[in-house]
Amino acid sequence: MTTNTSEQSFDINSQMQAMIKDIDMMSDEISASAAEIMRESGEMVATEQRRLISGKSSKLAGLIKVGKIYVTKKGNATVQTGYDAEAIKQAPEGVILEFGRAGKKSTDKLGRKIGKMDAINHIRKGFDNKKDEAAQIAVNKLDEVLKKW
């Protein structure tokens, strides 16, 4: 009994092609789902940042956005939240509120530095408040996507 090796190799080749096609489809769906999950997590952080600043400035709260998703050289994905360059041009006081202002070296009659302003950390604090919750939700949603495959 002889087997035709060319017939077997064709069968294996077609199976490999089908498997590669399935992996490509899975990769595209997972990438699209991962991008959506990253945006949702970024929106959760941005909502907290808006909540923190809304007591001081409703204008600044409206300028906080969820931006682009970046993938680092190490393969880590991050989503930009906070003020973009256009928002900083419109309202530079957002940066002053976030980092504060040192003021002049001179003092007023009461001994306070002239022009000094303490920082109101709303961007960093909003991230710190929601990062664990956003990461956990992202992991759970990505697990749901992966379970489909």
Side-chain angles (χ1 to χ4, degrees):
M1 181 172 173
T2 61
T3 57
N4 189 348
T5 57
S6 65
E7 193 174 295
Q8 285 178 340
S9 78
F10 176 74
D11 186 45
I12 292 171
N13 188 28
S14 64
Q15 288 175 354
M16 290 295 284
Q17 292 298 326
M19 187 173 76
I20 290 170
K21 185 178 177 183
D22 289 344
I23 290 171
D24 285 342
M25 286 175 42
M26 183 175 83
S27 176
D28 292 342
E29 185 174 324
I30 290 173
S31 293
S33 296
E36 184 61 33
I37 290 168
M38 289 289 294
R39 287 213 176 281
E40 288 176 22
S41 297
E43 189 58 47
M44 182 183 294
V45 172
T47 301
E48 178 68 6
Q49 292 169 342
R50 288 182 200 112
R51 185 191 69 78
L52 290 172
I53 197 62
S54 63
K56 294 287 181 186
S57 170
S58 60
K59 176 184 175 184
L60 290 176
L63 294 175
I64 295 174
K65 294 183 174 70
V66 177
K68 294 182 180 180
I69 297 172
Y70 297 98
V71 179
T72 64
K73 290 180 182 178
K74 293 183 179 181
N76 298 326
T78 59
V79 61
Q80 180 183 7
T81 60
Y83 302 115
D84 59 1
E86 198 61 40
I88 292 172
K89 288 178 185 175
Q90 288 178 12
E93 63 269 19
V95 177
I96 295 170
L97 282 173
E98 177 69 18
F99 299 107
R101 183 174 51 210
K104 298 179 180 178
K105 291 184 180 182
S106 58
T107 58
D108 63 5
K109 292 179 183 178
L110 299 175
R112 299 174 298 199
K113 277 190 172 183
I114 298 172
K116 183 179 185 309
M117 185 173 135
D118 292 331
I120 302 170
N121 299 331
H122 55 285
I123 300 295
R124 182 63 189 196
K125 190 172 182 178
F127 171 74
D128 289 341
N129 290 350
K130 290 293 182 175
K131 69 179 175 183
D132 294 333
E133 184 181 344
Q136 188 59 45
I137 289 173
V139 166
N140 292 342
K141 287 186 177 187
L142 194 55
D143 281 344
E144 290 175 16
V145 170
L146 291 174
K147 285 180 183 177
K148 291 178 185 178
W149 290 95

